[in-house]
Amino acid sequence: SSIPPVEARAIVGIMAGSEASAPKRARIDASEDVRETSGCGAEGGAAAAAAVEGALSVHAVGDSPPPPVYPYASPSAAAVLLIGDGNLSFGAALVRQRGGGSGVIVTSFESHDELVGKYKETKGLIAELVAAGARVAHSVDATRLPQSLWDAGVDKDLRFDRVVFQFPLVPHAATQAEYQANPDPITTNRLMLRAFLIGSPALLRAPESEVHISSKDVKPYSWWKIQDLAPQHAGVQYSHRVPFDATLYPGYESRKPTNIHENKVESFPFTNCFTYIYTRPIEGAASEVVDDKKSRGPFYCALCEKQSTGAQNFEDHKRAKRHRLFAAIDGRWQTALAAVSNGE
């Protein structure tokens, strides 16, 4: 049955902690094209041509396309926890896809009454989820895991194969006073996700369990640098990202809060969307991983992810407006990290 709402709200703020430097890890982007190496010679060219011909013959004209891959299908993802699921439509779509809600817990940041007041469709979605066997928990704060989940009535012994945060976003400030107290939404969202990545690993069930964050790869969301947010002591490390395919979840409606006090929300299209996957560190593998940014040479700007052709070009780049913007964003981020670094 549905879990009664619990009023245990918390906002993103100064979090106590002490932090070692995050490890430098190579990142694999599953969305990038795979490129052939050059100079393969006659034999290599013939082998490559044969491989292409063989690959094309697998799905010739008239053949059925390969079946879709459902990332949250059992048994590899038998137990799934959804954090901050907006109007709960992703949870409902996922439960329909799985053919039932067993093993699925869907949560909202809002209380029950706040949620149904904000989204007119949510009351029916809650009923659908509960009827399918899923659990619904309210007032769950992504920055206070696992405690806020337990405060919402979820059994402390439950663990999950996937902990999923779909398109996270701290609501925009509703008043001038709120904006002055928190004028930097980029840093605020990064702090929220960092806290989520620190708390969520305690809810993973097995070494192969994963934490997923879906987001858009366009500004300002790409400026969050989700792949870099887990500190060394978080218990998970960035692995790779995969394109997020919304067509696998019919009925899923994106929701973006625009004014938390007036309950204003709007939808956004699922374009340039990716799921960033964090996994448990592999014991003994850290020393074998290299920093892919450092390997790009002395004229590579890691802030802007841009390669310069020489020293003068690099100096010109650092004076450019785009670099100065990213340097300011990074400066605010480093200040925020210093503020939360004691006692963590």
Coordinates of all heavy atoms in Angstrom, one line a residue, residues 214-275:
S214 N 19.8 10.9 -15.2 CA 19.5 11.3 -16.5 C 19.5 12.9 -16.6 O 18.9 13.5 -15.7 CB 18.2 10.7 -17.0 OG 18.4 9.3 -17.2
S215 N 20.0 13.4 -17.7 CA 20.0 14.9 -17.8 C 20.2 15.2 -19.3 O 20.5 14.4 -20.1 CB 21.1 15.5 -16.9 OG 20.9 16.9 -16.9
K216 N 20.0 16.5 -19.6 CA 20.2 17.0 -21.0 C 21.7 17.4 -21.1 O 22.3 18.0 -20.2 CB 19.3 18.1 -21.3 CG 17.8 17.7 -21.3 CD 16.9 18.9 -21.5 CE 16.9 19.4 -22.9 NZ 16.3 18.5 -23.9
D217 N 22.2 17.2 -22.3 CA 23.6 17.6 -22.6 C 23.6 18.9 -23.4 O 24.2 19.0 -24.5 CB 24.3 16.5 -23.4 CG 25.8 16.7 -23.5 OD1 26.3 17.5 -22.6 OD2 26.4 16.2 -24.4
V218 N 22.9 19.9 -22.9 CA 22.9 21.2 -23.4 C 23.0 22.2 -22.2 O 22.7 21.8 -21.1 CB 21.6 21.5 -24.2 CG1 21.4 20.6 -25.4 CG2 20.4 21.4 -23.3
K219 N 23.5 23.4 -22.5 CA 23.6 24.4 -21.4 C 22.3 24.8 -20.9 O 21.3 24.8 -21.6 CB 24.4 25.6 -21.9 CG 23.7 26.4 -22.9 CD 24.6 27.6 -23.3 CE 23.8 28.5 -24.3 NZ 24.6 29.7 -24.7
P220 N 22.1 25.0 -19.6 CA 23.1 25.0 -18.5 C 23.4 23.6 -17.9 O 24.3 23.5 -17.1 CB 22.6 25.9 -17.5 CG 21.1 25.7 -17.6 CD 20.8 25.4 -19.0
Y221 N 22.6 22.6 -18.3 CA 22.8 21.3 -17.7 C 24.2 20.7 -17.9 O 24.7 20.0 -17.0 CB 21.7 20.4 -18.1 CG 20.3 21.0 -18.1 CD1 19.7 21.4 -19.3 CD2 19.7 21.2 -16.9 CE1 18.4 22.0 -19.2 CE2 18.4 21.8 -16.8 CZ 17.8 22.2 -18.0 OH 16.6 22.8 -18.0
S222 N 24.7 20.9 -19.1 CA 26.0 20.3 -19.4 C 27.1 21.0 -18.5 O 28.2 20.4 -18.3 CB 26.3 20.5 -20.9 OG 26.3 21.8 -21.3
W223 N 26.8 22.2 -18.1 CA 27.8 22.9 -17.2 C 27.9 22.3 -15.8 O 28.8 22.6 -15.1 CB 27.4 24.4 -17.1 CG 27.5 25.1 -18.4 CD1 28.0 24.7 -19.6 CD2 27.0 26.4 -18.7 NE1 27.9 25.6 -20.6 CE2 27.3 26.7 -20.1 CE3 26.4 27.4 -18.0 CZ2 27.0 27.9 -20.7 CZ3 26.1 28.6 -18.6 CH2 26.4 28.9 -19.9
W224 N 26.9 21.5 -15.5 CA 27.0 20.8 -14.2 C 28.2 19.8 -14.1 O 28.6 19.5 -13.0 CB 25.7 20.1 -13.9 CG 24.5 20.9 -13.8 CD1 24.4 22.3 -13.9 CD2 23.1 20.5 -13.7 NE1 23.1 22.7 -13.8 CE2 22.3 21.6 -13.6 CE3 22.5 19.2 -13.5 CZ2 20.9 21.6 -13.5 CZ3 21.2 19.2 -13.4 CH2 20.4 20.3 -13.4
K225 N 28.6 19.3 -15.3 CA 29.6 18.3 -15.3 C 29.3 17.1 -14.4 O 30.1 16.8 -13.5 CB 31.0 18.9 -15.0 CG 31.4 19.9 -16.0 CD 32.8 20.4 -15.8 CE 33.3 21.5 -16.8 NZ 33.4 20.9 -18.1
I226 N 28.2 16.5 -14.7 CA 27.7 15.4 -13.8 C 28.8 14.3 -13.6 O 28.9 13.7 -12.6 CB 26.4 14.8 -14.4 CG1 25.3 15.9 -14.3 CG2 26.0 13.5 -13.7 CD1 24.0 15.5 -15.0
Q227 N 29.5 14.0 -14.7 CA 30.5 13.0 -14.6 C 31.7 13.2 -13.6 O 32.4 12.3 -13.3 CB 31.1 12.7 -16.0 CG 32.0 13.9 -16.6 CD 31.1 14.9 -17.3 OE1 29.9 15.0 -17.1 NE2 31.8 15.7 -18.2
D228 N 31.8 14.4 -13.1 CA 32.9 14.8 -12.2 C 32.4 15.0 -10.8 O 33.2 15.5 -9.9 CB 33.5 16.1 -12.7 CG 34.2 15.9 -14.0 OD1 34.6 14.8 -14.4 OD2 34.4 16.9 -14.7
L229 N 31.2 14.7 -10.4 CA 30.6 15.2 -9.2 C 30.8 14.3 -8.0 O 30.7 14.7 -6.8 CB 29.1 15.5 -9.3 CG 28.8 16.7 -10.2 CD1 27.3 16.9 -10.3 CD2 29.5 17.9 -9.7
A230 N 31.1 13.0 -8.2 CA 31.2 12.1 -7.0 C 32.6 12.2 -6.4 O 33.6 12.0 -7.1 CB 31.0 10.6 -7.4
P231 N 32.7 12.6 -5.1 CA 34.0 12.6 -4.4 C 34.6 11.2 -4.2 O 33.8 10.2 -4.4 CB 33.7 13.3 -3.1 CG 32.3 13.0 -2.8 CD 31.6 13.0 -4.2
Q232 N 35.8 11.2 -3.9 CA 36.5 9.9 -3.8 C 35.8 9.0 -2.7 O 35.8 7.7 -2.9 CB 38.0 10.1 -3.4 CG 38.8 8.8 -3.4 CD 40.3 9.1 -3.2 OE1 40.6 10.2 -2.6 NE2 41.1 8.2 -3.6
H233 N 35.3 9.6 -1.7 CA 34.7 8.7 -0.6 C 33.3 8.4 -0.8 O 32.6 7.8 0.0 CB 34.8 9.5 0.7 CG 34.1 10.8 0.8 ND1 34.6 11.9 0.4 CD2 32.8 11.0 1.2 CE1 33.7 12.9 0.5 NE2 32.6 12.4 1.0
A234 N 32.7 8.7 -2.0 CA 31.3 8.5 -2.3 C 30.9 7.0 -2.3 O 29.7 6.7 -2.1 CB 30.9 9.2 -3.6
G235 N 31.8 6.1 -2.7 CA 31.5 4.7 -2.9 C 31.0 4.3 -4.3 O 30.7 3.2 -4.5
V236 N 30.9 5.3 -5.2 CA 30.7 5.0 -6.6 C 31.6 5.9 -7.4 O 32.1 6.9 -7.0 CB 29.2 5.3 -7.0 CG1 28.3 4.2 -6.4 CG2 28.8 6.7 -6.6
Q237 N 31.8 5.5 -8.7 CA 32.6 6.3 -9.6 C 32.0 6.3 -10.9 O 31.2 5.4 -11.3 CB 34.1 5.7 -9.7 CG 34.1 4.3 -10.4 CD 35.5 3.7 -10.4 OE1 36.3 4.1 -9.6 NE2 35.7 2.8 -11.4
Y238 N 32.2 7.4 -11.7 CA 31.6 7.5 -13.0 C 32.1 6.4 -13.9 O 33.3 6.2 -14.0 CB 31.9 8.9 -13.6 CG 31.3 9.1 -15.0 CD1 30.0 9.1 -15.2 CD2 32.2 9.3 -16.0 CE1 29.5 9.3 -16.5 CE2 31.7 9.4 -17.3 CZ 30.4 9.5 -17.6 OH 29.9 9.6 -18.8
S239 N 31.2 5.8 -14.6 CA 31.6 4.8 -15.6 C 31.4 5.2 -17.0 O 32.4 5.3 -17.8 CB 30.7 3.5 -15.3 OG 31.0 2.5 -16.3
H240 N 30.2 5.6 -17.4 CA 30.0 6.0 -18.8 C 28.6 6.6 -18.9 O 27.9 6.6 -17.9 CB 30.1 4.8 -19.8 CG 29.1 3.7 -19.5 ND1 29.2 2.8 -18.4 CD2 28.0 3.3 -20.2 CE1 28.2 2.0 -18.5 NE2 27.4 2.3 -19.5
R241 N 28.2 7.0 -20.1 CA 26.9 7.5 -20.3 C 26.3 6.8 -21.5 O 27.0 6.4 -22.4 CB 26.8 9.0 -20.4 CG 27.4 9.6 -21.7 CD 27.2 11.1 -21.7 NE 27.6 11.6 -23.1 CZ 27.4 12.8 -23.4 NH1 27.0 13.8 -22.6 NH2 27.7 13.2 -24.7
V242 N 25.0 6.7 -21.5 CA 24.2 6.2 -22.7 C 23.1 7.1 -23.0 O 22.6 7.8 -22.2 CB 23.7 4.8 -22.4 CG1 24.8 3.8 -22.1 CG2 22.8 4.8 -21.2
P243 N 22.7 7.2 -24.3 CA 21.5 8.0 -24.7 C 20.3 7.6 -23.9 O 20.0 6.4 -23.7 CB 21.4 7.8 -26.2 CG 22.7 7.3 -26.6 CD 23.3 6.5 -25.5
F244 N 19.5 8.5 -23.5 CA 18.2 8.2 -22.8 C 17.1 8.2 -23.9 O 16.9 9.2 -24.6 CB 17.9 9.3 -21.8 CG 16.5 9.1 -21.2 CD1 16.3 8.1 -20.2 CD2 15.4 9.9 -21.6 CE1 15.0 7.9 -19.7 CE2 14.2 9.7 -21.0 CZ 14.0 8.7 -20.1
D245 N 16.5 7.1 -24.0 CA 15.4 6.9 -25.0 C 14.1 7.0 -24.4 O 13.6 6.0 -23.8 CB 15.6 5.5 -25.7 CG 14.7 5.3 -26.9 OD1 13.9 6.2 -27.1 OD2 14.8 4.2 -27.5
A246 N 13.4 8.1 -24.5 CA 12.1 8.3 -23.9 C 11.0 7.5 -24.5 O 10.0 7.2 -23.9 CB 11.7 9.8 -23.9
T247 N 11.3 7.0 -25.8 CA 10.2 6.2 -26.5 C 10.0 4.9 -25.8 O 9.0 4.2 -26.0 CB 10.6 6.0 -27.9 OG1 11.8 5.2 -28.0 CG2 10.8 7.4 -28.6
L248 N 11.0 4.5 -24.9 CA 10.8 3.2 -24.2 C 9.8 3.3 -23.1 O 9.4 2.3 -22.5 CB 12.1 2.8 -23.6 CG 13.3 2.5 -24.6 CD1 14.5 2.1 -23.8 CD2 12.9 1.3 -25.6
Y249 N 9.4 4.6 -22.8 CA 8.5 4.8 -21.6 C 7.3 5.6 -22.0 O 7.2 6.8 -21.7 CB 9.3 5.5 -20.5 CG 10.6 4.8 -20.2 CD1 11.8 5.3 -20.7 CD2 10.6 3.7 -19.4 CE1 13.0 4.7 -20.4 CE2 11.8 3.1 -19.1 CZ 13.0 3.5 -19.6 OH 14.2 2.9 -19.3
P250 N 6.4 5.0 -22.8 CA 5.2 5.8 -23.2 C 4.4 6.3 -22.0 O 4.2 5.6 -21.0 CB 4.4 4.7 -24.0 CG 5.4 3.7 -24.4 CD 6.4 3.7 -23.3
G251 N 4.0 7.5 -22.1 CA 3.3 8.1 -21.0 C 4.2 9.0 -20.1 O 3.6 9.7 -19.2
Y252 N 5.5 8.9 -20.2 CA 6.4 9.6 -19.4 C 6.3 11.1 -19.8 O 6.6 11.4 -21.0 CB 7.8 9.1 -19.5 CG 8.8 9.9 -18.7 CD1 8.5 10.5 -17.5 CD2 10.2 10.0 -19.1 CE1 9.5 11.3 -16.8 CE2 11.1 10.6 -18.4 CZ 10.8 11.3 -17.2 OH 11.7 12.0 -16.5
E253 N 6.0 12.0 -18.9 CA 6.0 13.4 -19.2 C 7.0 14.1 -18.4 O 7.0 14.1 -17.1 CB 4.6 14.0 -18.9 CG 3.5 13.3 -19.7 CD 2.1 13.8 -19.2 OE1 1.8 13.6 -18.0 OE2 1.4 14.4 -20.0
S254 N 7.9 14.8 -19.0 CA 8.9 15.6 -18.3 C 8.3 16.8 -17.7 O 7.3 17.4 -18.2 CB 10.0 16.1 -19.3 OG 9.4 16.9 -20.3
R255 N 8.8 17.2 -16.5 CA 8.2 18.3 -15.8 C 9.4 19.1 -15.2 O 10.3 18.6 -14.6 CB 7.3 17.9 -14.6 CG 6.0 17.4 -15.1 CD 5.1 18.5 -15.7 NE 3.8 18.0 -16.0 CZ 3.4 17.6 -17.2 NH1 4.3 17.5 -18.2 NH2 2.2 17.3 -17.5
K256 N 9.4 20.4 -15.5 CA 10.4 21.3 -15.0 C 9.8 22.4 -14.1 O 9.0 23.2 -14.6 CB 11.2 22.0 -16.1 CG 12.3 22.9 -15.7 CD 13.1 23.4 -16.8 CE 12.3 24.4 -17.7 NZ 13.2 25.0 -18.8
P257 N 10.1 22.5 -12.8 CA 9.5 23.5 -12.0 C 10.1 24.9 -12.4 O 11.3 25.1 -12.5 CB 10.0 23.2 -10.6 CG 11.2 22.4 -10.8 CD 11.1 21.7 -12.1
T258 N 9.2 25.9 -12.5 CA 9.6 27.2 -12.9 C 9.3 28.2 -11.7 O 9.9 29.3 -11.7 CB 8.9 27.7 -14.1 OG1 7.5 27.6 -14.0 CG2 9.3 26.9 -15.3
N259 N 8.3 27.9 -10.9 CA 8.0 28.7 -9.7 C 7.4 27.8 -8.6 O 6.3 27.4 -8.7 CB 7.1 29.9 -10.1 CG 6.9 30.8 -8.9 OD1 6.7 30.5 -7.8 ND2 7.0 32.1 -9.3
I260 N 8.2 27.5 -7.6 CA 7.8 26.6 -6.6 C 6.6 27.0 -5.8 O 5.8 26.2 -5.4 CB 9.0 26.2 -5.7 CG1 8.7 24.9 -4.9 CG2 9.4 27.3 -4.8 CD1 9.8 24.4 -4.1
H261 N 6.5 28.3 -5.6 CA 5.4 28.8 -4.8 C 4.0 28.9 -5.5 O 3.0 28.7 -5.0 CB 5.7 30.2 -4.2 CG 6.8 30.1 -3.2 ND1 6.7 29.4 -2.0 CD2 8.1 30.7 -3.2 CE1 7.9 29.5 -1.3 NE2 8.7 30.3 -2.0
E262 N 4.1 29.2 -6.8 CA 2.9 29.3 -7.6 C 2.6 28.0 -8.3 O 1.6 27.9 -9.1 CB 3.0 30.4 -8.7 CG 3.2 31.8 -8.0 CD 3.3 32.9 -9.1 OE1 3.0 32.6 -10.3 OE2 3.7 34.0 -8.7
N263 N 3.3 26.9 -8.0 CA 3.1 25.6 -8.6 C 3.1 25.6 -10.1 O 2.4 24.9 -10.8 CB 1.8 25.0 -8.1 CG 1.8 24.6 -6.6 OD1 2.9 24.4 -6.1 ND2 0.7 24.4 -6.0
K264 N 4.0 26.4 -10.7 CA 4.1 26.5 -12.1 C 5.1 25.5 -12.6 O 6.2 25.4 -12.1 CB 4.5 27.9 -12.6 CG 3.5 28.9 -12.4 CD 3.9 30.3 -12.9 CE 2.9 31.3 -12.7 NZ 3.3 32.7 -13.2
V265 N 4.7 24.7 -13.6 CA 5.7 23.7 -14.2 C 5.5 23.7 -15.7 O 4.5 24.2 -16.3 CB 5.3 22.3 -13.7 CG1 5.6 22.1 -12.2 CG2 3.9 21.9 -14.0
E266 N 6.5 23.3 -16.4 CA 6.4 23.2 -17.9 C 7.2 21.9 -18.3 O 8.0 21.4 -17.6 CB 7.0 24.4 -18.5 CG 8.5 24.6 -18.2 CD 9.1 25.9 -18.8 OE1 8.3 26.9 -18.8 OE2 10.2 25.9 -19.2
S267 N 6.8 21.4 -19.5 CA 7.5 20.3 -20.0 C 8.7 20.7 -20.9 O 8.8 21.8 -21.3 CB 6.5 19.5 -20.9 OG 5.4 19.0 -20.2
F268 N 9.6 19.7 -21.1 CA 10.7 20.0 -22.0 C 10.9 18.8 -22.9 O 10.6 17.6 -22.5 CB 12.0 20.3 -21.2 CG 12.4 19.2 -20.3 CD1 13.2 18.2 -20.8 CD2 12.1 19.2 -19.0 CE1 13.6 17.1 -19.9 CE2 12.5 18.2 -18.1 CZ 13.3 17.2 -18.6
P269 N 11.4 19.0 -24.1 CA 11.6 17.8 -25.1 C 12.7 17.0 -24.7 O 13.7 17.4 -24.1 CB 11.8 18.5 -26.4 CG 12.4 19.8 -26.0 CD 11.8 20.3 -24.7
F270 N 12.6 15.7 -25.0 CA 13.7 14.7 -24.7 C 14.7 14.7 -25.8 O 14.9 13.7 -26.5 CB 13.1 13.3 -24.4 CG 12.3 13.2 -23.2 CD1 10.9 13.0 -23.2 CD2 12.9 13.3 -21.9 CE1 10.2 12.9 -22.1 CE2 12.1 13.2 -20.8 CZ 10.8 13.0 -20.8
T271 N 15.4 15.8 -26.0 CA 16.5 15.9 -27.0 C 17.8 16.0 -26.3 O 17.9 16.7 -25.3 CB 16.2 17.0 -28.0 OG1 16.1 18.2 -27.2 CG2 15.0 16.8 -28.8
N272 N 18.8 15.4 -26.9 CA 20.2 15.5 -26.3 C 20.2 15.0 -24.9 O 20.8 15.7 -24.0 CB 20.8 16.9 -26.4 CG 21.0 17.3 -27.9 OD1 21.5 16.6 -28.7 ND2 20.5 18.5 -28.2
C273 N 19.5 13.9 -24.6 CA 19.4 13.4 -23.2 C 20.3 12.2 -23.0 O 20.4 11.3 -23.9 CB 18.0 13.1 -22.9 SG 16.9 14.5 -22.9
F274 N 20.9 12.1 -21.9 CA 21.8 11.0 -21.6 C 21.6 10.5 -20.2 O 21.2 11.3 -19.3 CB 23.3 11.3 -21.8 CG 23.7 11.6 -23.2 CD1 23.5 12.8 -23.8 CD2 24.2 10.6 -24.0 CE1 23.9 13.1 -25.1 CE2 24.6 10.8 -25.3 CZ 24.4 12.1 -25.8
T275 N 21.9 9.2 -19.9 CA 21.9 8.7 -18.6 C 23.3 8.5 -18.2 O 24.1 7.7 -18.8 CB 21.1 7.4 -18.5 OG1 19.7 7.6 -18.8 CG2 21.2 6.8 -17.1

